[in-house]
């Protein structure tokens, strides 16, 4: 829980971290944001929050798809019945019906007699297609939209848990901020020491992606031609001055790759 565990829901950088009289760690670096850390004022969601929102909204999405299929089937069936009623002429007819006379052959003489005109059409027997009222459909759409919107807002509102708890437990907020500061500082030192290992792993992943996927290989080659990316955190380097070249050992040889300024900092 929040009060007993410093690691519980402790990925948000807020003013409590900035109030510590230590070396400034903000703004967060790109690879730290990829590791689920975020600022309190960030609008973008982390990958874990996106996955959580997708899981929460799965039932609403399935319900929306089912209702959409029902509405489409209802519209197609109603249109088919309306077309059948308007474009199909079904009825019973025989010679002389339109004049109201009927000829009867009785032995050697042909006799005719008049019959009262009668409507033999089958229009009253045909089914009548009825479409769903727009008011009902719009009500369904509004309910589905509210459900999906609530799933998205729930992810953002979950960030307020730590903010509300910090307001009630100021001493715990300071302790949790100290823990988060030490964790970020230690993680930066470890990452700097393991930078060459990370670069080798990233380069190997990129080569395998280009080797086993033709479409992805074309996209990767195109991106390399248009943009220069940091191999460690995939940040686009818009200018040569925004990055630097680093050499490291890779498969019994030394190669050179571009990384951003943030990934090259020891702390």
């Amino acid at each position: 829980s929040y009060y007993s565990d410093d690691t519980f829901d402790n990925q948000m950088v807020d003013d409590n971290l900035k109030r510590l009289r230590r070396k400034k760690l903000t703004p967060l670096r790109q690879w730290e944001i990829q590791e689920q850390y975020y600022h309190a004022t960030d609008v973008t969601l982390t990958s874990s929050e996106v996955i959580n929102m997708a899981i929460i909204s799965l039932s609403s999405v399935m319900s929306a798809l089912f209702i959409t299929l029902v509405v489409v089937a209802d519209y197609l069936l109603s249109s088919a019945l309306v077309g059948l009623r308007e474009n199909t002429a079904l009825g019973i007819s025989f010679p002389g019906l339109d004049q109201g006379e009927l000829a009867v052959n009785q032995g050697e003489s042909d006799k005719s007699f008049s019959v009262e005109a009668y409507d033999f059409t089958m229009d009253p027997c045909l089914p009548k297609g009825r479409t769903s009222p727009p008011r009902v459909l719009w009500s369904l759409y509004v309910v589905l939209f509210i459900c999906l919107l609530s799933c998205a807002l729930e992810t953002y509102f979950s960030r307020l848990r730590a903010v509300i708890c910090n307001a009630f437990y100021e001493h715990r907020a300071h302790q949790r901020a100290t823990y988060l500061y030490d964790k970020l500082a230690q993680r930066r030192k470890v990452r700097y020491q393991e930078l060459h290992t990370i670069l080798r792993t990233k380069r190997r992943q990129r080569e395998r992606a280009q080797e086993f996927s033709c479409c992805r290989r074309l996209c990767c080659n195109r991106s390399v031609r248009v943009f220069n990316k940091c191999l460690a955190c995939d940040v686009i380097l818009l200018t040569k001055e925004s990055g630097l070249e680093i050499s490291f050992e890779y498969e019994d040889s030394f190669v050179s790759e571009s990384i951003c300024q943030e990934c090259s900092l020891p702390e």
Side-chain angles (χ1 to χ4, degrees):
S1 64
Y2 171 89
Y3 197 84
S4 60
D5 188 2
D6 288 335
T7 62
F8 176 77
D9 198 15
N10 196 5
Q11 294 88 27
M12 182 179 63
V13 176
D14 55 5
D15 293 337
N16 292 305
L17 186 68
K18 299 177 182 179
R19 293 192 190 101
L20 298 177
R21 297 180 180 180
R22 299 186 182 183
K23 184 179 178 180
K24 186 177 179 181
L25 295 181
T26 54
L28 292 175
R29 300 174 184 178
Q30 183 64 30
W31 59 268
E32 291 174 335
I33 297 176
Q34 295 173 359
E35 292 183 352
Q36 321 309 327
Y37 296 100
Y38 57 90
H39 290 280
T41 57
D42 281 348
V43 179
T44 56
L45 299 176
T46 62
S47 58
S48 61
E49 289 175 332
V50 172
I51 294 175
N52 185 39
M53 183 177 66
I55 295 174
I56 294 175
S57 60
L58 183 61
S59 59
S60 299
V61 173
M62 296 299 294
S63 301
L65 292 177
F66 177 75
I67 293 175
T68 302
L69 291 177
V70 172
V71 170
V72 171
D74 175 72
Y75 174 78
L76 294 177
L77 180 60
S78 176
S79 300
L81 294 178
V82 171
L84 179 65
R85 190 177 187 85
E86 293 179 352
N87 302 323
T88 304
L90 299 177
I92 301 175
S93 63
F94 49 84
L97 178 63
D98 52 348
Q99 288 84 15
E101 295 182 356
L102 179 61
V104 180
N105 187 1
Q106 184 177 3
E108 299 179 354
S109 62
D110 294 337
K111 297 181 180 181
S112 62
F113 57 90
S114 300
V115 296
E116 185 179 355
Y118 188 82
D119 187 7
F120 286 95
T121 182
M122 292 185 179
D123 288 345
C125 301
L126 294 176
K128 298 180 181 180
R130 295 181 179 179
T131 58
S132 301
R135 178 175 57 84
V136 176
L137 296 179
W138 279 110
S139 301
L140 290 175
Y141 298 151
V142 170
V143 171
L144 291 176
F145 175 76
I146 293 176
C147 292
L148 295 176
L149 182 63
S150 63
C151 295
L153 293 179
E154 195 277 338
T155 305
Y156 284 100
F157 288 156
S158 63
R159 294 184 175 184
L160 297 178
R161 293 178 301 186
V163 176
I164 296 174
C165 292
N166 290 341
F168 285 94
Y169 303 101
E170 295 183 359
H171 65 287
R172 285 293 296 140
H174 178 76
Q175 295 173 356
R176 287 167 60 86
T178 304
Y179 170 83
L180 181 60
Y181 182 96
D182 295 337
K183 184 177 179 180
L184 288 174
Q186 183 65 26
R187 184 69 185 91
R188 291 184 180 183
K189 293 179 181 179
V190 173
R191 181 180 174 84
Y192 180 76
Q193 295 173 358
E194 298 177 350
L195 181 59
H196 287 188
T197 304
I198 295 173
L199 293 177
R200 283 192 290 268
T201 303
K202 291 284 188 177
R203 183 181 175 89
R204 189 175 297 108
Q205 291 176 353
R206 186 179 65 184
E207 291 179 351
R208 289 178 178 176
Q210 295 175 359
E211 179 180 356
F212 292 105
S213 177
C214 297
C215 297
R216 190 170 182 180
R217 177 175 56 190
L218 294 176
C219 295
C220 290
N221 291 339
R222 184 178 178 184
S223 64
V224 170
R225 289 194 300 268
V226 178
F227 300 108
N228 191 20
K229 290 185 177 181
C230 172
L231 183 61
C233 63
D234 294 330
V235 172
I236 297 177
L237 306 176
L238 300 178
T239 61
K240 294 182 178 180
E241 291 76 13
S242 59
L244 54 90
E245 295 290 330
I246 183 172
S247 298
F248 57 94
E249 186 178 359
Y250 180 74
E251 295 184 354
D252 300 331
S253 63
F254 283 89
V255 296
S256 180
E257 291 285 351
S258 298
I259 63 173
C260 62
Q261 297 287 346
E262 292 182 350
C263 292
S264 63
L265 297 176
E267 295 182 3

